[in-house]
Amino acid sequence: MIKGENKRPNIMDWFTSTVGQILISLFVPALTFVVLWQGFIFLRDANAPKLIIVLVAVVWGVGGVALLYYVSNWLVEKTSRQWLHRLQPFVFVGPAIVLLGWYLAIPTLRTLYLSFMDANSRHFVGLENFIFAFTDRVMLEAFRNNLLWMIFGTAFSVGLGLAIAVLADRSRFEKIYKAIIFMPMAISFVGAGVIWKFMYTYKGEGFGVVEIGLLNAILIALGGKPQPWLTQPPWNNFFLIVIMVWLQTGYAMVILSSAIKSIPAELLEAARVDGANEFQVFFQIMIPVIKGTLLSVITTIVIFSLKLFDIVRVMTGGNNGTNVIANEFYIERFTYGNAGRASAIAIVLLIAVIPVIIYNLRQFRERRAF
């Protein structure tokens, strides 16, 4: 071949080019994903024993996902350094973004669409469902109750958690105390509701009636009369809030205790040497130092209180003035079958939670949490 003569382009040159490598890096993972998807469809429709199908599905799923990541990363590493830094993060973040889009973003948009439709999702009704959400007596009651949960539940959970974190830090039995207080966090909300339902059980007055509720048993032992704890509004809401405090105090305690332990001991000792008493040390040094963590804990529990459902559903079903927004959504959708109103309530709940989430993310960003 004469020197300087142009070489005839071939398929290998295209494969090694930047554009070719990018296309391959996109095509091969997509092909791998399609193969995995078809494999799962095959397993779903197979007539083999269930145990065999489960075992194969686990191996197929874990191995397939690992293969998907490996192939994608290997292909991206074949590109230039510039494109490597651009594409490699999407190899690992991309699937998570796709899953979030599929299971979170798309359902949210669909719910927003249904909120403007009638009960059967056939006819457009405009803002009728949202007008119901903000004017119906039951909904207004649910808003009021959620506000009670948000204020009192959050205040007592964070307050008790902070107090225990400070006081237990000075005890030699700190680990035992914290383990006992944190233990309810291991119980599901439904389980906690069942436990406390037995605590509040009321059988009624009459000959031969035996109270099995712990609180009523204590009242009877002290010479009092049993009380229908969960049927006396508005106090029954506060009796339910006690369960939230019981569950969330351990969470607040652990997070705040970690923040308090990160305060330099020299700073606290210097304040005491300068004549500050324990209250001044707590309010003027500890609180300002752990302010970011404290706000994060507060906003997290506020979000939980806004989305609360399990406890109310198990304990009272929303009756006797204890209804909350999430429970009303459940009733409208699965009891009355009104998809339009249920979707509107879900969107209202989403809008109520979003500002708190944004504030929480800003706090994390300021503290360079991610």
Side-chain angles (χ1 to χ4, degrees), residues 287-304:
I287 295 298
V289 172
I290 67 172
K291 178 182 177 182
T293 304
L294 187 61
L295 290 174
S296 297
V297 172
I298 290 173
T299 52
T300 301
I301 298 179
V302 165
I303 293 173
F304 166 76

Side-chain angles (χ1 to χ4, degrees), residues 140-150 237 321-324:
L140 294 178
E141 179 184 87
F143 284 127
R144 181 206 66 186
N145 292 338
N146 269 105
L147 189 62
L148 291 176
W149 282 85
M150 185 174 65
N237 285 290
T322 60
N323 204 14
V324 290

Side-chain angles (χ1 to χ4, degrees), residues 99-110:
L99 290 176
L100 283 175
W102 184 262
Y103 291 106
L104 186 61
I106 294 178
T108 300
L109 295 175
R110 184 173 182 272

Side-chain angles (χ1 to χ4, degrees), residues 156-326:
F156 281 103
S157 297
V158 176
L160 287 175
L162 180 60
I164 295 169
V166 174
L167 297 176
D169 189 47
R170 304 184 176 188
S171 173
R172 60 176 179 173
F173 301 108
E174 175 188 4
K175 294 182 179 179
I176 298 177
Y177 296 151
K178 289 184 176 179
I180 294 174
I181 295 169
F182 187 78
M183 198 174 297
M185 283 291 294
I187 304 174
S188 68
F189 299 130
V190 174
V194 172
I195 292 172
W196 280 86
K197 192 167 186 178
F198 283 109
M199 297 279 286
Y200 291 135
T201 294
Y202 171 72
K203 291 294 185 179
E205 299 181 5
F207 179 76
V209 174
V210 178
E211 292 291 345
I212 63 172
L214 178 60
L215 293 183
N216 281 326
I218 294 174
L219 278 180
I220 294 173
L222 296 176
K225 294 183 178 180
Q227 299 295 323
W229 305 97
L230 299 179
T231 60
Q232 297 179 344
W235 303 109
N236 48 5
N237 285 290
F238 293 98
F239 295 140
L240 295 179
I241 290 173
V242 168
I243 306 172
M244 172 184 168
V245 175
W246 182 65
L247 288 170
Q248 295 296 310
T249 296
Y251 162 76
M253 175 199 67
V254 169
I255 303 299
L256 295 175
S257 177
S258 176
I260 291 172
K261 288 182 179 296
S262 66
I263 301 175
E266 296 81 5
L267 180 61
L268 301 178
E269 289 299 326
R272 295 187 178 101
V273 170
D274 288 341
N277 57 40
E278 293 303 319
F279 285 99
Q280 291 174 324
V281 170
F282 177 75
F283 287 105
Q284 298 180 16
I285 296 179
M286 286 187 178
I287 295 298
V289 172
I290 67 172
K291 178 182 177 182
T293 304
L294 187 61
L295 290 174
S296 297
V297 172
I298 290 173
T299 52
T300 301
I301 298 179
V302 165
I303 293 173
F304 166 76
S305 66
L306 288 172
K307 301 189 301 179
L308 183 86
F309 169 75
D310 312 68
I311 295 174
V312 172
R313 190 66 196 168
V314 171
M315 298 286 289
T316 64
N319 298 313
N320 300 307
T322 60
N323 204 14
V324 290
I325 300 175

